[in-house]
Amino acid sequence: NAGVTQTPKFQVLKTGQSMTLQCAQDMNHNSMYWYRQDPGMGLRLIYYSASEGTTDKGEVPNGYNVSRLNKREFSLRLESAAPSQTSVYFCASSETPPGPRGYTFGSGTRLTVV
Amino acid sequence: RKEVEQDPGPFNVPEGATVAFNCTYSNSASQSFFWYRQDCRKEPKLLMSVYSSGNEDGRFTAQLNRASQYISLLIRDSKLSDSATYLCVVNGRGDNFNKFYFGSGTKLNVKP
């Protein structure tokens, strides 16, 4: 089935470790997004990419980097993880601009930083 | 001020009840409005887009009030399976037109 695939689903890191969250979509969407979701805070945009080769900061970009490897893939990197980055991370994709079908989300990555 | 604000609830209703949620947004230039549903520990999924004239999909009705800058979701004949968190979503302003802003969600519990 067409959709958005994220890996890994769960991860525990020690403070200072690095990791990359992977996201791939097969919906032929131009736009891709990384959100984090914390209790009571809703979904907050970290970075987004309106097309291959372009990336822009969202509301909470500090501590993160992204790479739009090609049209299908958009990765999120934590260079030096901190406990404040404990969260659920969602990747999403959409048409540009998002049409009536809105965003399609991946199933999420639950990250704990200890 | 948050871009999108929702009552977090929870709304506890019996099966068969009608329940309504409102959501206010701050950007008068917003053009795209949606309701998403999110089950516990799952990703958000699109429930319905919200059109200017209002729209209905089965037991669900969405309305937009531009003058007061709010959108609403009405659920009739609630089912146990409607228990979830409902997220209000609007697009941003200016250069952020292509980006969505999410409310924190309203939790609905439908009881037998």
Side-chain angles (χ1 to χ4, degrees):
Chain A
N1 290 336
V4 180
T5 303
Q6 282 182 243
T7 56
K9 293 190 181 303
F10 301 93
Q11 184 71 50
V12 179
L13 291 177
K14 293 182 179 179
T15 297
Q17 286 185 317
S18 62
M19 78 162 294
T20 299
L21 282 62
Q22 306 286 354
C23 177
Q25 53 94 7
D26 57 7
M27 305 182 74
N28 201 34
H29 286 160
N30 283 318
S31 294
M32 297 186 73
Y33 313 83
W34 277 104
Y35 282 87
R36 60 178 288 175
Q37 186 174 36
D38 303 292
M41 299 291 291
L43 284 150
R44 292 182 293 168
L45 183 64
I46 304 171
Y47 271 93
Y48 76 104
S49 171
S51 63
E52 183 180 349
T54 68
T55 61
D56 285 285
K57 295 179 180 179
E59 301 169 71
V60 288
N62 291 343
Y64 305 96
N65 285 301
V66 290
S67 295
R68 184 72 184 268
L69 304 169
N70 47 55
K71 187 172 184 177
R72 290 188 63 247
E73 298 173 288
F74 188 38
S75 62
L76 178 71
R77 184 161 177 83
L78 286 70
E79 291 291 352
S80 179
S84 61
Q85 294 178 304
T86 293
S87 188
V88 181
Y89 291 85
F90 289 104
C91 176
S93 71
S94 75
E95 299 167 339
T96 305
R101 285 187 290 274
Y103 288 7
T104 299
F105 284 88
S107 58
T109 296
R110 296 185 176 278
L111 176 66
T112 302
V113 183
V114 298
Chain B
R1 182 183 174 188
K2 288 184 178 180
E3 295 277 348
V4 182
E5 300 210 52
Q6 295 182 250
D7 180 344
F11 285 60
N12 298 307
V13 302
E15 270 187 293
T18 295
V19 62
F21 311 134
N22 282 342
C23 157
T24 59
Y25 60 95
S26 62
N27 177 13
S28 60
S30 290
Q31 295 293 321
S32 301
F33 308 90
F34 304 86
W35 283 102
Y36 274 72
R37 170 193 169 126
Q38 186 172 26
D39 293 296
C40 188
R41 303 179 73 82
K42 298 285 190 181
E43 72 272 24
K45 293 185 177 178
L46 180 66
L47 179 66
M48 59 197 304
S49 302
V50 185
Y51 300 118
S52 296
S53 56
N55 48 301
E56 188 174 306
D57 182 2
R59 297 181 295 107
F60 299 85
T61 300
Q63 296 280 353
L64 168 64
N65 185 315
R66 286 192 182 276
S68 301
Q69 293 182 212
Y70 75 84
I71 66 174
S72 63
L73 178 68
L74 180 77
I75 305 175
R76 290 181 299 277
D77 189 23
S78 298
K79 311 292 185 190
L80 294 176
S81 57
D82 293 333
S83 296
T85 297
Y86 291 84
L87 307 176
C88 171
V89 185
V90 304
N91 71 304
R93 74 186 77 195
D95 291 343
N96 294 324
F97 181 79
N98 286 336
K99 291 188 285 189
F100 285 179
Y101 292 90
F102 288 77
S104 301
T106 298
K107 188 171 176 61
L108 173 65
N109 295 317
V110 181
K111 308 287 189 182

